[in-house]
Amino acid sequence: MQSVSRLLIGLIILLFAAGHGNARALRIVSANGTLSEILVGLGLEKQIVGVDVTSTYPASLEKLPKIGHNRTIAAEGILALNPDVIIYTNQSMLSPAVVKQLSGSGKKLVEFKHDYSKEGAIRLIREVGTYFNANAQAEKMVKALQADLAKIPAPANPKKLLFIYARGTGTLMVSGTGTSLDKMFALAGHKNAVGGFTDFKPLTAESLIAANPDVLVLFSSGLESLEGMDGLLKVPGVANTSAGKNRRIVTMDGQFLTGFGPRLGKAAAELSQKVK
């Protein structure tokens, strides 16, 4: 009788171990750079089999197969990677058609809610950690993030900042209220030079001069697309602003500046330092 009991206990242990092993072997596709960064922080990098083009940190993610970006992501490219689970956020902008295709494929599709705030970043880390049974690692990331957030300096003289999204002179947009840039400016102790609209809208010389920002903020790749500082100053209206006259231009990596993930505190501190 005792030998039968030992056999049953052994089988239970083996089944538990097998189940635990399968969970760790999940093949994950991430359609969001912040989620990809969190997965790496949770120790799950080896399980990631595909990422979107915003998954640039850490640099090792850039070696993985790419599934596209926002509306260019196609379900076929994801399914070809044979994932067990596909994760994205409400900020990922996957088209409804792609979400429908993925939902109908039999693969696990998980959406996480992501708010552009300190609380939103912490909640996202914890929820991803809970989903992948990595709560202890998630708490370590949260603790590090909270320590970074506590170090963000309060500026002595808050400035008016204006973010310009540039992809050459043919695509120039400014960010309004509620965007990740708007929230980042506030977190760093500064204010958005424009308001009265949400999301992004095309830049015009008239609105630029009216806003008269103290500092212009661009993604590093955006300034490069304009051929640098001199190219930016040639954009109509820029040279007439305080920022243009004083050549106060700040550039940062796009994912770092707008990710609102584990590096949020570091990004806000760097922005604060550059605007100072």
Side-chain angles (χ1 to χ4, degrees):
M1 191 65 185
Q2 283 185 337
S3 60
V4 173
S5 297
R6 288 196 192 98
L7 179 61
L8 286 172
I9 292 170
L11 284 171
I12 291 170
I13 291 172
L14 284 172
L15 287 170
F16 176 79
H20 191 63
N22 285 337
R24 285 187 174 279
L26 284 176
R27 293 171 60 84
I28 307 167
V29 164
S30 169
N32 180 275
T34 303
L35 288 179
S36 301
E37 189 177 332
I38 293 171
L39 289 175
V40 174
L42 296 177
L44 302 174
E45 183 170 2
K46 290 183 178 178
Q47 295 177 220
I48 307 173
V49 297
V51 294
D52 73 330
V53 297
T54 69
S55 299
T56 56
Y57 184 87
S60 54
L61 291 177
E62 300 199 50
K63 298 176 183 175
L64 293 173
K66 297 294 183 292
I67 60 169
H69 179 232
N70 290 340
R71 303 269 176 201
T72 68
I73 293 176
E76 291 78 7
I78 294 175
L79 297 175
L81 298 171
N82 190 29
D84 297 304
V85 59
I86 304 145
I87 61 173
Y88 66 108
T89 77
N90 56 314
Q91 307 289 352
S92 293
M93 293 176 63
L94 285 181
S95 72
V98 170
V99 171
K100 185 177 179 181
Q101 276 182 278
L102 293 173
S103 298
S105 70
K107 303 292 184 183
K108 187 72 176 176
L109 183 65
V110 181
E111 180 186 75
F112 292 94
K113 190 171 187 301
H114 189 193
D115 294 327
Y116 294 135
S117 65
K118 292 185 285 188
E119 296 77 14
I122 290 170
R123 184 168 55 248
L124 183 65
I125 292 170
R126 283 179 169 153
E127 289 183 352
V128 177
T130 297
Y131 184 83
F132 288 102
N133 194 28
N135 291 305
Q137 294 92 328
E139 285 309 309
K140 286 182 182 177
M141 296 175 73
V142 167
K143 190 171 289 187
L145 171 56
Q146 289 172 327
D148 290 337
L149 290 169
K151 296 176 185 173
I152 300 171
N157 298 300
K159 303 285 196 303
K160 288 193 299 179
L161 311 186
L162 179 67
F163 174 77
I164 299 177
Y165 176 85
R167 283 294 175 269
T169 54
T171 304
L172 293 167
M173 310 280 285
V174 295
S175 63
T177 55
T179 62
S180 57
L181 282 310
D182 182 66
K183 299 294 182 67
M184 176 57 81
F185 293 169
L187 187 58
H190 300 287
K191 62 177 291 187
N192 198 339
V194 293
F197 65 95
T198 58
D199 207 359
F200 288 76
K201 76 174 189 179
L203 178 150
T204 65
E206 295 75 16
S207 61
L208 188 57
I209 295 170
N212 192 27
D214 300 308
V215 180
L216 294 176
V217 181
L218 289 89
F219 292 157
S220 304
S221 57
L223 187 62
E224 288 172 9
S225 76
L226 296 172
E227 300 182 353
M229 175 85 77
D230 291 339
L232 175 61
L233 291 173
K234 292 176 183 174
V235 172
V238 170
N240 300 101
T241 64
S242 295
K245 291 173 184 172
N246 297 312
R247 299 174 74 87
R248 293 299 317 278
I249 314 298
V250 164
T251 60
M252 290 178 64
D253 174 78
Q255 177 59 27
F256 183 44
L257 182 61
T258 64
F260 274 77
R263 295 181 294 157
L264 174 61
K266 288 183 170 61
E270 182 173 316
L271 176 63
S272 179
Q273 178 62 34
K274 288 187 171 184
V275 169
K276 191 175 178 181

